[in-house]
Amino acid sequence: MRVAVTVEEIRNQVKEWKREGLSVGLVPTMGALHEGHASLVDASVKSCDRTVTSIFVNPKQFGKSEDLDSYPRTFDEDCRILEERGCDMVFAPTVDVMYPDGFGAEIQITTDMVNQLCGASRPGHFKGVCTVVGKLFNIVAPDKAFFGEKDAQQLAVIRKMVKDLNFDVEVVGCPTIREADGLAKSSRNVYMNEEERNAAGILYQSMLKAQELIKNGERSAETIAEQMKALIATEGMAQIDYVRIVDGLTLLPTDEVKAGDLVALAVCFGNTRLIDNFTVSF
């Protein structure tokens, strides 16, 4: 497995692969890899002839009060995981490579989807996401790009960007990987102490509650969300940011739940903010 740190290195290798008629998959990450990331690499390796994984902690998607400086960086361990999974190349640029002196471009979705859910409390976050992902798509020129469904809003926003700007890449969503108690795998899980980690299991329980309500015929988005909140509130360490049900494509709020809607939540345990979701199916 090779490690590229410049745009020229990664482009030259991808061009060589494509001259050989090989397909290329991209797994964009910020490092601190876990089984969720590994499952994306697995999907790419299975679907494409060659797999590139990017490791770049993108400063443009962090707010002023967010955890950029403390975000876990485990590059050597990340490379070990990637090599074991069959990744062919790592793209690990510095900030100066991605955003050189004088950089002034950005990609911004102007519909209200970026102001919903996490976007309501993280202004500018998805502009940073779209800008870095757009650059990665242009640099790597993958045939397919793989993203986790845990970050459902991010996935929806990237799909919107790809559609509207005619990027020649297929965006593939991959299922959320969970711990034994149902908690979604996340790089931020390591921030929690043992008590907070145990308390966080309430999130999955609340989603199971919502699925049960829907299965039993409940269609009021407000009723389902309120019952989820009530269950989460029984865990004293949980501080709810939001529990909402939105249209799966536009991310706008819905009153009556239908197949394809997204049930999404964000809850803090101590200083750790966790997100999770599921898509409604009947």
Side-chain angles (χ1 to χ4, degrees):
M1 185 181 74
R2 291 179 55 192
V3 176
V5 296
T6 69
V7 171
E8 290 74 21
E9 285 177 275
I10 192 72
R11 276 187 168 163
N12 288 340
Q13 179 60 79
V14 170
K15 285 178 181 177
E16 183 179 326
W17 286 335
K18 292 199 170 184
R19 281 195 296 268
E20 297 171 6
L22 303 175
S23 60
V24 178
L26 171 66
V27 181
T29 83
M30 294 205 300
L33 304 186
H34 50 69
E35 289 177 37
H37 298 108
S39 73
L40 304 183
V41 177
D42 290 344
S44 178
V45 169
K46 183 178 180 180
S47 179
C48 301
D49 298 313
R50 296 290 184 268
T51 291
V52 174
T53 300
S54 62
I55 298 177
F56 178 65
V57 182
N58 177 33
K60 290 190 176 293
Q61 66 190 71
F62 286 80
K64 291 182 180 179
S65 62
E66 294 182 331
D67 56 352
L68 174 61
D69 291 338
S70 62
Y71 194 85
R73 291 162 171 84
T74 55
F75 185 74
D76 290 342
E77 175 64 11
D78 292 345
C79 287
R80 184 191 68 78
I81 292 170
L82 292 172
E83 191 158 25
E84 285 183 354
R85 295 287 180 156
C87 178
D88 298 283
M89 197 163 194
V90 175
F91 180 42
T94 63
V95 173
D96 288 341
V97 167
M98 291 299 282
Y99 305 120
D101 202 29
F103 182 87
E106 61 188 25
I107 300 176
Q108 183 169 0
I109 302 298
T110 58
T111 69
D112 207 29
M113 71 186 306
V114 295
N115 300 319
Q116 309 300 315
L117 306 176
C118 291
S121 58
R122 304 183 73 187
H125 170 72
F126 289 107
K127 179 169 64 178
V129 169
C130 286
T131 299
V132 75
V133 172
K135 281 182 66 73
L136 289 170
F137 286 172
N138 281 331
I139 292 167
V140 180
D143 298 285
K144 297 182 180 182
F146 299 81
F147 297 87
E149 292 176 351
K150 180 182 77 72
D151 295 309
Q153 185 172 16
Q154 173 180 274
L155 180 57
V157 168
I158 289 170
R159 282 177 166 153
K160 173 71 171 170
M161 177 187 75
V162 165
K163 178 173 182 272
D164 287 1
L165 296 182
N166 303 107
F167 278 99
D168 187 18
V169 59
E170 178 185 347
V171 175
V172 181
C174 299
T176 301
I177 304 300
R178 300 186 177 278
E179 306 278 3
D181 65 350
L183 183 68
K185 297 270 189 179
S186 171
S187 301
R188 289 187 165 91
N189 289 354
V190 299
Y191 293 162
M192 293 183 286
N193 61 36
E194 184 177 358
E195 188 178 7
E196 291 165 346
R197 171 61 188 84
N198 290 336
I202 197 69
L203 301 186
Y204 188 60
Q205 295 176 36
S206 75
M207 294 197 299
L208 292 178
K209 175 67 174 178
Q211 290 170 356
E212 179 185 11
L213 289 168
I214 294 169
K215 181 180 179 181
N216 291 336
E218 181 61 66
R219 295 293 180 267
S220 167
E222 181 179 5
T223 298
I224 295 167
E226 288 303 317
Q227 293 208 32
M228 290 178 70
K229 289 178 185 177
L231 180 56
I232 295 170
T234 63
E235 176 48 69
M237 301 191 72
Q239 303 170 43
I240 298 173
D241 180 352
Y242 65 77
V243 176
R244 297 198 189 115
I245 302 176
V246 298
D247 182 278
L249 294 177
T250 67
L251 303 184
L252 298 180
T254 185
D255 294 326
E256 294 294 316
V257 175
K258 63 185 183 302
D261 284 348
L262 187 71
V263 179
L265 54 81
V267 180
C268 294
F269 294 88
N271 294 322
T272 305
R273 183 177 182 275
L274 302 178
I275 61 172
D276 209 339
N277 67 84
F278 71 89
T279 298
V280 175
S281 61
F282 296 150

